[in-house]
Structures are given as C-alpha cells and as structure tokens.
C-alpha cells in the first residue's frame, strides 16, 4: 500500500520544490534546486520513497535533467542527465519505480528512462507535441496525450510500442 504522506509541487520561478504534508495540508519544507533550474513536473513512486522532478532549465548541471528526491528525508539526492536538449515537461513513473515516461516537448517524443541505470532505454516519436503522460497500476501500459493529434497513445511498456490510440476530440 502506498506510504506517500507528502505531495511535491514544482515552483518553476523560484527553482524550488514545496513539500506539503497531505494529512495536515501544510507546507512542511522547501527544497532548493541549483541556480537556473526550472522544475516543471513531479512523479512519485507508488511506494512513496522517491520523487522525480523534471528540470526545464539549464542549471549548473550537465544541461537538462531529472532531479531525484529521497522522500523519507525530503532532500534531492541525485539527478539524471539527459545529455541533450530534451525538455521534459511531463513525467510519470511505473508502479515498480523502474521506469520514467517523459514527455519531450521539443522533439515530440516520449523518452523511457531506466531509473537504475539513469539512461534512456527507448524513444517513441510522434508527429505532434506530446503532452501529459501516465502509467497504469499494472505497469503494462502507459498513456500519452498527443497535443494537436487529438488522441491518446496507448503504449506497451514491455515492447515500447504504441498498441492503439484513443480518439480525443479537441486538445488533450
């Protein structure tokens, strides 16, 4: 059963992450990030032990990155460098915490990141901008909103392929 008691909110303009206790609805801390960071989205593992934060800024790290937060201590412990100009605006983590699905708004891709090796293991390319992304509780599928394409892509998380699409009139 998930142990998450805190919510993590990205504060892009102040280069910080707010930590909110969900039982009391109070801010219990603020995690500073490197100068010129631009935290955009947060995904928390289902067991509540880690949070992953997309960094849309260049910061003092090796370019764009994903910050890793130890949720028990509420500290940034590490980061994953993307080593390119990828700008991840949306992020989801699989239930077992082994993979991140990152929506790259500059290349119209969904990048799959292995959380153990901290490397990109697959890239799914689309003709339109990728927006929101989510994983299902069984870890068998991920879903990506394709902005401009008016559909949701259903992704097989074992073979990294789009298995079907769900029409979505308007902009998902």
């Amino acid at each position: 059963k998930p142990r998450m008691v805190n919510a993590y909110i990205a504060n892009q303009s102040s280069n910080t992450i707010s930590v909110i206790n969900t039982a009391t609805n109070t801010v219990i801390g603020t995690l500073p990030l490197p100068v010129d960071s631009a935290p955009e989205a947060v995904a928390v593992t289902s067991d509540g032990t880690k949070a992953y934060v997309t960094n849309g800024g260049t910061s003092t790290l090796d370019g764009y990155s994903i910050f890793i937060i130890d949720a028990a201590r509420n500290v940034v412990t590490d980061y994953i460098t993307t080593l390119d100009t990828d700008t991840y605006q949306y992020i989801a983590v699989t239930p077992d915490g082994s993979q991140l699905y990152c929506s790259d708004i500059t290349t119209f891709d969904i990048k799959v990141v292995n959380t153990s090796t901290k490397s990109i293991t697959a890239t799914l390319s689309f003709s339109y901008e990728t927006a929101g992304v989510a994983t299902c509780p069984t870890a068998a599928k991920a879903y990506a909103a394709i902005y401009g394409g008016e559909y949701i892509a259903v992704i097989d998380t074992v073979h990294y392929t789009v298995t079907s699409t769900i029409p979505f009139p308007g902009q998902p």
Side-chain angles (χ1 to χ4, degrees):
K1 195 170 188 177
R3 299 179 307 153
M4 186 174 140
V5 295
N6 295 332
Y8 297 88
I9 307 299
N11 303 310
Q12 192 175 50
S13 62
S14 64
N15 301 324
T16 62
I17 301 294
S18 292
V19 182
I20 299 171
N21 181 301
T22 58
T24 62
N25 292 327
T26 56
V27 176
I28 60 170
T30 303
L31 308 179
L33 298 175
V35 174
D36 293 329
S37 296
E40 295 196 33
V42 180
V44 180
T45 57
S46 63
D47 65 2
T49 59
K50 290 184 182 174
Y52 295 92
V53 181
T54 60
N55 172 23
T58 55
S59 76
T60 55
L61 305 174
D62 300 326
Y64 300 99
S65 57
I66 300 167
F67 295 107
I68 304 170
I69 296 172
D70 176 332
R73 298 182 296 145
N74 287 324
V75 295
V76 176
T77 57
D78 205 354
Y79 64 94
I80 299 168
T81 301
T82 61
L83 299 176
D84 52 26
T85 59
D86 296 344
T87 302
Y88 302 137
Q89 190 168 11
Y90 304 97
I91 188 170
V93 61
T94 55
D96 65 0
S98 67
Q99 297 178 355
L100 301 173
Y101 280 75
C102 306
S103 173
D104 184 340
I105 63 168
T106 58
T107 61
F108 302 169
D109 294 334
I110 296 290
K111 301 283 176 69
V112 182
V113 177
N114 179 304
T115 58
S116 294
T117 63
K118 299 179 188 167
S119 61
I120 296 170
T121 57
T123 300
L124 292 97
S125 297
F126 297 91
S127 299
Y128 300 95
E129 182 179 330
T130 55
V133 62
T135 58
C136 74
T138 64
K141 298 176 185 174
Y143 299 86
I146 309 304
Y147 185 82
E150 297 186 354
Y151 66 93
I152 307 294
V154 181
I155 301 167
D156 175 330
T157 60
V158 174
H159 300 102
Y160 309 117
T161 57
V162 175
T163 58
S164 63
T165 59
I166 301 167
F168 195 94
Q171 301 299 327

